[in-house]
Amino acid sequence: MTHALTLTRRAAALALLAAPLLAHAADFPSKPIKFIVPYTAGGTTDLVARTVGQKVSEKLGQPVLIDNRGGAGGNIGMDAVAKAAPDGYTIGFGAISTNALNPHIYKSMAFDPRKDFTAISLLGMSTIVLEVPASSAIKTVPELIAAAKKNPGLPYATAGAGTSMNLAGVMFAQMTGTELTHVAYKGSGPAITDMLGNTIGVMFDNLPASLPHIQAGKLRALAVAGSTRSPSLPDVPTMAEAGLKGYALEPWFGVYGPAKLPAPIVKALNEAFVEALAMPDVKAKLQQAGFSPRGSSAQELTTLTDTEYKRLGDVAKKAGMTAD
């Protein structure tokens, strides 16, 4: 009897703790939602967050405030999401790096991407482009491989250590048997500036940041890293078409909330993001920038996160990747 009473009291206590969350879930949202983007303003993630966030705001009837918190390969911003109250008013812009790759390359992590988040929806995929300055003598991927073999340690730029662009460079070196030196910048902007100034001669970048410079004829795209050509650069081959059979890397992005986010709140946010990503004007704007928008169920993003966590752990270990 005493045992039964203890269980009953415990259940009652848990119900009391859960009651405020369920009450909040019923009238969600009743105030602005903070959308943390764990990268600096002006990049691919910022463009997607602001474009989609505006439509989500209209759907939910509350402002979606973009909060850029760059640093540590996205870990600083996503840590803030992990430690936020699970009430739906703080969500984050997770990525292949923050939620699958980083735990394998940073010596210490303040959060566990498998336990500390609630998946909400995919946002879509980006395209990584391999590029050189327009004035470079290198015009094809085979020519770049030849140059790298002739000059061991050839430097290449990316938007940061541990990013998907860094991973693209590691995979390129592995598959071509070349030795490349990674030069990590604090975002795409400074790296592109050095590319335009011929300070560095090779870069792996997220296409949306580099596309205007490629279209202006200031940078030359040698290949894209995805499994298919980019609609924005139909004449640029994939890495596989350029000779690296089996090479494919497609960075994905998704919306996450803190762990233990109530199901009704997940449902409301998921529906708003999926609807926004399917809007013709949103799709057109993001595709024009080189991003492929795609919403998903919360479960699909959960499964993708788990699968990619395991896969990229193997890649990082084999390559000896570190970001500290």
Side-chain angles (χ1 to χ4, degrees), residues 174-200:
Q174 281 183 351
M175 293 182 70
T176 58
T178 55
E179 182 188 326
L180 303 176
T181 300
H182 180 219
V183 181
Y185 284 78
K186 291 182 178 178
S188 291
I192 289 171
T193 297
D194 277 4
M195 284 281 286
L196 297 176
N198 288 300
T199 304
I200 194 160

Side-chain angles (χ1 to χ4, degrees), residues 28 63 79 92 96 103 120 135 144 151 177 235 266 277 289 299 311 324:
F28 178 84
D79 182 44
I96 184 175
I120 294 169
S135 58
L144 174 60
N151 305 288
D235 298 328
V266 175
L277 288 159
Q299 185 55 53
R311 181 180 76 86
D324 289 302

Side-chain angles (χ1 to χ4, degrees), residues 1-17:
M1 177 70 80
T2 307
H3 180 63
L5 277 171
T6 304
L7 285 175
T8 304
R9 283 177 185 146
R10 190 177 297 160
L14 287 171
L16 280 171
L17 285 170

Side-chain angles (χ1 to χ4, degrees), residues 42-301:
T44 302
T45 50
D46 195 48
L47 168 71
V48 176
R50 290 179 190 281
T51 303
V52 180
Q54 176 60 38
K55 300 296 184 181
V56 170
S57 170
E58 291 169 11
K59 161 80 174 168
L60 295 176
Q62 289 290 342
V64 173
L65 310 173
I66 307 303
D67 183 357
N68 294 93
R69 295 197 201 181
N75 290 346
I76 292 171
M78 290 309 286
D79 182 44
V81 177
K83 289 177 171 54
D87 57 11
Y89 293 105
T90 300
I91 55 176
F93 197 118
I96 184 175
S97 51
T98 56
N99 290 68
L101 178 63
N102 286 4
H104 304 292
I105 62 176
Y106 281 84
K107 285 176 187 166
S108 63
M109 290 281 290
F111 60 85
D112 183 334
R114 297 164 299 171
K115 297 176 182 175
D116 295 338
F117 298 106
T118 301
I120 294 169
S121 170
L122 257 175
L123 285 163
M125 317 292 188
S126 186
T127 299
I128 292 175
V129 61
L130 169 58
E131 61 197 14
V132 295
S135 58
S136 173
I138 297 168
K139 292 182 169 58
T140 65
V141 170
E143 286 179 7
L144 174 60
I145 295 169
K149 287 183 175 176
K150 192 175 177 181
N151 305 288
L154 185 75
Y156 73 92
T158 74
T163 58
S164 52
M165 290 80 83
N166 182 187
L167 180 61
V170 167
M171 286 172 56
F172 184 89
Q174 281 183 351
M175 293 182 70
T176 58
T178 55
E179 182 188 326
L180 303 176
T181 300
H182 180 219
V183 181
Y185 284 78
K186 291 182 178 178
S188 291
I192 289 171
T193 297
D194 277 4
M195 284 281 286
L196 297 176
N198 288 300
T199 304
I200 194 160
V202 181
M203 182 174 180
F204 286 88
D205 193 25
N206 262 327
L207 182 55
S210 281
L211 187 59
H213 304 287
I214 294 168
Q215 291 171 331
K218 294 176 181 177
L219 295 176
R220 178 185 301 129
L222 302 183
V224 291
S227 55
T228 58
R229 293 192 180 198
S230 167
S232 303
L233 296 172
D235 298 328
V236 176
T238 63
M239 290 283 200
E241 289 173 333
L244 274 67
K245 191 176 178 183
Y247 187 113
L249 177 63
E250 291 167 306
W252 49 266
F253 302 88
V255 187
Y256 296 84
K260 299 185 172 67
L261 201 58
I265 291 176
V266 175
K267 184 173 183 289
L269 287 167
N270 174 271
E271 287 175 355
F273 273 96
V274 169
E275 188 176 305
L277 288 159
M279 291 179 176
D281 56 334
V282 170
K283 289 175 78 170
K285 183 173 183 178
L286 297 183
Q287 285 171 345
Q288 192 175 14
F291 187 84
S292 301
R294 183 168 82 81
S296 75
S297 67
Q299 185 55 53
E300 185 180 347
L301 179 57

